[in-house]
């Protein structure tokens, strides 16, 4: 199991990348558990999240300063290549000396780099499940990433649906495993 935050982030990126590389040519328009997104939309979203890291963390820019520079289609004709480049850029930005201690200016206010990295790691884990479900791949998530993501999501689980970024949390059956609990917190039925 990865031990540091940067290792968790790298493991989540690898997991999502495995899914991206597994997408068959005819699956890019397939629906995902994120009902508003196709597979391509989902991959574009997570790719975009990684592309935001360098300007926000390395360059110290705000969301407003970046503006819509990272809007629209970020995948082009090579979605897997676009993902790999974005993941490498995000990993490098968070891995730079002092990056996790910096203050990052996000849309909801100043945030420590480590908190931003944790948030994106958990989001990447959940979206790896979404992608696996959409393409019919094995959707079992690694235990260590599930536990990490549960710890990240639990403190603000009640406000996720209000953000408009997640569905309403589902009831968790008694004795549910960690993956089922994580998915229920973000409105997904495993």
């Amino acid at each position: 199991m990865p031990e540091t935050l940067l290792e968790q982030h790298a493991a989540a990126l690898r997991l999502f990348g495995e899914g991206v590389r597994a997408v068959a040519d005819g699956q890019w328009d397939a629906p995902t558990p994120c009902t508003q997104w196709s597979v391509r939309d989902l991959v574009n979203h997570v790719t975009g999240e990684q592309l935001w890291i360098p300007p926000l963390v390395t360059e110290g820019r705000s969301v407003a300063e970046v503006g819509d520079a990272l809007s629209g289609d970020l995948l082009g004709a090579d979605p897997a290549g676009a993902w790999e480049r974005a993941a490498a850029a995000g990993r490098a930005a968070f891995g730079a000396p002092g990056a996790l201690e910096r203050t990052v200016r996000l849309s909801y206010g100043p945030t420590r780099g480590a908190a931003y990295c944790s948030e994106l790691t958990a989001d990447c884990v959940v979206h790896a499940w979404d992608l696996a479900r959409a393409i019919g791949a094995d959707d079992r998530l690694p235990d260590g990433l599930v536990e990490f993501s549960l710890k990240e999501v639990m403190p603000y689980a009640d406000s996720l649906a209000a953000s408009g970024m997640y569905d309403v949390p589902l009831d968790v059956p008694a004795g549910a495993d960690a993956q089922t609990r994580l998915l229920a917190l973000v409105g997904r039925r495993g």
Side-chain angles (χ1 to χ4, degrees), residues 65-112:
E65 289 168 340
V66 176
D68 62 1
L70 297 172
S71 297
D73 178 33
L74 303 170
L75 302 179
D78 180 17
W83 161 254
E84 293 300 332
R85 289 185 296 278
R91 197 171 48 251
F94 277 138
L100 297 180
E101 289 75 39
R102 288 189 190 117
T103 298
V104 183
R105 297 181 291 160
L106 301 176
S107 58
Y108 53 83
T111 304
R112 206 165 142 250

Side-chain angles (χ1 to χ4, degrees), residues 89-177:
R91 197 171 48 251
F94 277 138
L100 297 180
E101 289 75 39
R102 288 189 190 117
T103 298
V104 183
R105 297 181 291 160
L106 301 176
S107 58
Y108 53 83
T111 304
R112 206 165 142 250
Y116 181 41
C117 184
S118 294
E119 175 186 319
L120 291 184
T121 300
D123 193 63
C124 192
V125 170
V126 170
H127 286 320
W129 181 87
D130 293 331
L131 182 56
R133 271 290 167 106
I135 64 172
D138 180 3
D139 64 5
R140 186 75 200 147
L141 299 168
D143 292 342
L145 287 174
V146 170
E147 290 296 335
F148 173 89
S149 299
L150 259 174
K151 288 177 187 166
E152 171 62 21
V153 171
M154 291 280 295
Y156 53 88
D158 292 339
S159 63
L160 290 175
S163 74
M165 296 170 56
Y166 293 94
D167 288 334
V168 174
L170 305 174
D171 291 331
V172 180
D177 66 12

